[in-house]
Amino acid sequence: MTETLDIKITPIEKSRVSEYDINNVPFGKIFADHMFVAEYENGKWSKCYIQPYQDVPMSYALSALHYGQSIFEGMKAYKSDDGTVSLFRPLENCKRMNKSAIRMAMPEVPEEIFMGGLTELMKLDKAWVPTSDTGSLYIRPFLISTDEAIGVRPADNYKFIIFCCPAGKYYAEPVKVLIEHHYFRAVRGGVGYVKAAGNYGRSLYPTRLAQDKGFQQVIWTDSETQQYVEESGTMNLMFVIGDTLVTPALSDTILAGITRDTVFTIAKDWGYKVEERKISIKEIFEAHANGTLKEAFGTGTAATIAHIKAIGFEDNIYDLPEIEDRKFSPKIDEYLRNLRKGREEDKHHWMMKVS
Ligand code: COI
């Protein structure tokens, strides 16, 4: 790539935004006007362009479809009360995408391309950023291999693409989660710590089994001992036990969530006791029995904070305190909403203004 990013822009003739109530659309089904594409061929990144969001003709031999060289990120843009559009900690997504790329034997996406494409796209599609308190523009950067060849090896050609969709709350209500100790999301030495598409595909069957039993999501446990909780659905997992905020320590089976880091940083700012460590199923049940399990929730870009109202394990259900009685998670949920709306001082410089 050259020093300055050369993006060829083909704008849409007429925006589709007025066809929708963007403050009230289902998650991930309505796509904003434009998409950014960067192509990698012959060992280097070549063309970068923005075009109207569209389908692409595709070979059925496309390598990403067969062997899963496919990684993605999830991030969000927010519109503050004065109309400013900002991205939330976008450089963290760029870094994590490249961690995923390395693990999946894919080329890293230069920061200049990731950030340059993203900011140009935001300028073109800013009208798609919802104004509601809980709304945001969900941004999906992803990298796929595009060789037309079914030999198993790292591909020679790739496409990095970004598109966006207006989004409201991911979970409308607090969730019931089932502790899963037969199927696993991630294994030691595997790819659980990166955002590989296959991590999500493998989670669908156990999640469907849990949903058939009346749960919305599962809590994943470690595959070696099945004693320790790791994540919940597509989110990191947190508990308030006694007066301490606790989350499973990062490892190669746990994704380093940006919302996870955000919540922990704020909790420390607020003077909460925080611990990153192993959390056993036994500890959760003991805390439930002695009344010290005050809160459980998931954190993630899509969901932000997803309150857990009950935890199932085998044939038992453990109900958790009412959301109104929780002191930490509703407070941080509100704080994050206000920060993103520009109503709180951004002392960690997490919001990056784009227009
Ligand atoms: C995110 O929170 O961005 C996720 O990765 C969840 C997504 C798969 C909807």
Side-chain angles (χ1 to χ4, degrees):
M1 276 313 290
T2 51
E3 284 299 301
T4 49
L5 186 63
D6 187 13
I7 306 177
K8 182 171 179 309
I9 299 178
T10 310
I12 199 153
E13 279 177 19
K14 184 177 179 309
S15 173
R16 290 176 285 103
V17 71
S18 60
E19 294 171 22
Y20 303 101
D21 172 7
I22 56 164
N23 287 310
N24 192 16
V25 286
F27 178 87
K29 292 195 173 164
I30 308 296
F31 305 108
D33 286 329
H34 298 93
M35 62 194 281
F36 169 80
V37 184
E39 295 184 3
Y40 182 92
E41 50 194 9
N42 300 322
K44 60 179 173 33
W45 289 97
S46 54
K47 286 193 275 224
C48 290
Y49 49 97
I50 289 180
Q51 63 185 20
Y53 178 81
Q54 59 193 260
D55 297 341
V56 286
M58 182 189 73
S59 160
Y60 289 112
L62 196 83
S63 50
L65 300 179
H66 295 267
Y67 306 125
Q69 269 195 304
S70 173
I71 59 174
F72 72 93
E73 276 300 313
M75 54 198 300
K76 282 178 172 172
Y78 298 87
K79 198 169 269 175
S80 65
D81 291 336
D82 65 5
T84 306
V85 173
S86 304
L87 294 160
F88 188 71
R89 307 188 71 181
L91 286 168
E92 298 304 318
N93 293 93
C94 178
K95 283 188 221 151
R96 193 171 62 185
M97 172 142 239
N98 285 330
K99 208 163 133 185
S100 302
I102 291 168
R103 178 62 181 83
M104 298 300 289
M106 300 168 87
E108 292 178 60
V109 180
E111 186 181 305
E112 177 201 6
I113 294 184
F114 189 101
M115 291 306 298
L118 187 58
T119 44
E120 280 308 313
L121 192 61
M122 286 304 105
K123 283 182 201 153
L124 287 165
D125 281 348
K126 62 182 179 219
W128 287 85
V129 185
T131 49
S132 63
D133 266 16
T134 51
S136 59
L137 189 68
Y138 184 82
I139 303 165
R140 173 50 60 89
F142 68 106
L143 176 65
I144 51 168
S145 62
T146 55
D147 280 11
E148 291 178 27
I150 54 169
V152 182
R153 57 177 182 76
D156 294 324
N157 301 286
Y158 295 85
K159 272 200 170 90
F160 170 62
I161 299 169
I162 312 176
F163 65 79
C164 312
C165 36
K169 284 187 138 205
Y170 194 74
Y171 291 111
E173 299 293 335
V175 291
K176 265 173 83 176
V177 296
L178 178 67
I179 295 180
E180 173 59 63
H181 57 106
H182 177 71
Y183 296 105
F184 304 100
R185 174 189 168 274
V187 294
R188 286 270 306 271
V191 297
Y193 68 105
V194 297
K195 259 179 123 56
N199 286 343
Y200 297 78
R202 69 185 285 172
S203 74
L204 299 178
Y205 178 65
T207 305
R208 190 170 67 189
L209 295 181
Q211 286 168 349
D212 289 346
K213 293 182 189 154
F215 297 88
Q216 283 77 46
Q217 270 303 345
V218 298
I219 285 184
W220 302 108
T221 53
D222 76 290
S223 65
E224 292 195 317
T225 70
Q226 303 101 53
Q227 298 300 312
Y228 297 97
V229 296
E230 298 208 313
E231 293 192 12
S232 178
T234 61
M235 302 177 291
N236 292 112
L237 188 57
M238 297 202 180
F239 300 92
V240 176
I241 300 178
D243 60 356
T244 306
L245 178 67
V246 197
T247 196
L250 293 179
S251 70
D252 62 359
T253 55
I254 296 181
L255 187 82
I258 296 160
T259 312
R260 173 188 183 278
D261 179 75
T262 300
V263 168
F264 246 56
T265 304
I266 297 168
K268 285 187 234 169
D269 288 351
W270 287 350
Y272 274 77
K273 277 199 240 166
V274 295
E275 289 175 6
E276 292 179 74
R277 59 172 172 78
K278 286 185 164 204
I279 306 167
S280 68
I281 299 173
K282 185 165 167 273
E283 175 181 359
I284 295 170
F285 295 149
E286 282 173 3
H288 183 267
N290 67 27
T292 54
L293 181 59
K294 306 285 184 203
E295 306 185 23
F297 56 98
T299 65
T301 299
T304 310
I305 304 287
H307 301 292
I308 294 175
K309 65 176 179 189
I311 299 177
F313 182 65
E314 296 176 342
D315 291 331
N316 300 314
I317 304 263
Y318 300 85
D319 288 316
L320 270 64
E322 297 295 329
I323 312 302
E324 303 74 64
D325 297 331
R326 303 185 185 191
K327 296 205 165 53
F328 179 75
S329 45
K331 184 172 154 190
I332 198 136
D333 199 17
E334 193 188 348
Y335 177 85
L336 286 174
R337 241 186 338 267
N338 286 334
L339 177 68
R340 289 154 171 178
K341 282 278 158 194
R343 299 171 196 152
E344 287 283 354
E345 184 199 350
D346 180 19
K347 62 180 186 178
H348 292 287
H349 308 290
W350 282 334
M351 305 298 291
M352 180 184 283
K353 185 175 163 188
V354 281
S355 95

